Amino acid sequence: MSHEVKTITLFGVNCYLLKTASGYVLIDTGWPFKRTDLDKELESAGCRPGNLELIILTHGDFDHSGNCAYLRGRYGAKIAMHRRESEMVENGDMILNRRHRPLVFRLFFGLVKLYGRLTRFDRFRPDLTVEEGTDLSGYGLDARIVDLPGHSIGSIGILTGDGDLFCGDLVMHD
């Protein structure tokens, strides 16, 4: 099960569109205010409503999950993420599952909330929860999930059979 990879960079956040034999898988979705750019990138790669099979979130922060609800509605894709991240996106609380909540981190998200364009976040519930070892071959992707807690308690990576690792932020917030 081979795949082609298109890296989509949206305001400093990388999203990865993987083309498989059966369709597309998108890893992370970028900031909500970059939705138009994301749509253009998906369309230019041949990704259209009906062939985006799965969205996998490396973690729940809105710079990675910000377009999930929109994409699910437009493309019909299922959303997968670690169960320990789902409460973040269901409640729209990006510091909910941090082990520690340093003052600088709370201040940053407080300022972001004041700047409304970045926080246009449509809450959602994931369709699937994944964990260490979850096999993604059912979506045409020779890959499995690896747990990478640190940035948040439910951060994950996607490890392909070829040895490529797709991961979100790896910076610790302790």
Side-chain angles (χ1 to χ4, degrees):
M1 285 183 264
S2 64
H3 58 274
E4 296 175 26
V5 179
K6 176 181 176 74
T7 302
I8 302 169
T9 303
L10 302 168
F11 200 69
V13 175
N14 287 334
C15 308
Y16 303 97
L17 182 65
L18 287 66
K19 183 177 181 182
T20 69
S22 60
Y24 292 87
V25 173
L26 180 64
I27 301 171
D28 292 333
T29 69
W31 297 93
F33 70 91
K34 295 307 249 174
R35 185 168 292 166
T36 302
D37 295 336
L38 178 59
D39 268 337
K40 288 177 186 174
E41 291 286 343
L42 294 175
E43 186 175 313
S44 75
C47 184
R48 308 233 181 324
N51 68 6
L52 179 59
E53 296 183 33
L54 184 66
I55 298 165
I56 306 169
L57 295 177
T58 59
H59 61 291
D61 288 348
F62 55 69
D63 57 331
H64 292 259
S65 65
N67 292 301
C68 279
Y70 165 76
L71 292 173
R72 176 168 50 196
R74 178 174 164 88
Y75 290 84
K78 291 185 178 181
I79 300 170
M81 67 188 309
H82 195 282
R83 65 175 172 75
R84 297 183 82 181
E85 298 289 292
S86 64
E87 196 173 357
M88 288 174 69
V89 297
E90 290 173 27
N91 295 316
D93 184 346
M94 298 299 121
I95 63 171
L96 182 70
N97 72 350
R98 297 302 200 265
R99 288 186 185 115
H100 302 285
R101 297 178 180 128
L103 178 61
V104 68
F105 196 62
R106 290 192 317 262
L107 289 173
F108 170 75
F109 280 107
L111 289 173
V112 167
K113 284 183 180 180
L114 291 176
Y115 187 63
R117 284 177 28 139
L118 293 180
T119 60
R120 185 184 79 197
F121 180 78
D122 299 323
R123 297 174 187 184
F124 64 92
R125 178 170 285 148
D127 301 293
L128 310 164
T129 55
V130 295
E131 59 187 23
E132 179 76 29
T134 298
D135 181 7
L136 300 172
S137 61
Y139 296 93
L141 189 60
D142 179 18
R144 64 181 173 84
I145 299 297
V146 293
D147 287 344
L148 299 173
H151 182 69
S152 63
I153 60 175
S155 291
I156 60 168
I158 297 87
L159 181 62
T160 70
D162 295 334
D164 295 324
L165 177 66
F166 296 92
C167 53
D169 302 335
L170 293 176
V171 176
M172 299 281 285
H173 281 295
D174 285 346

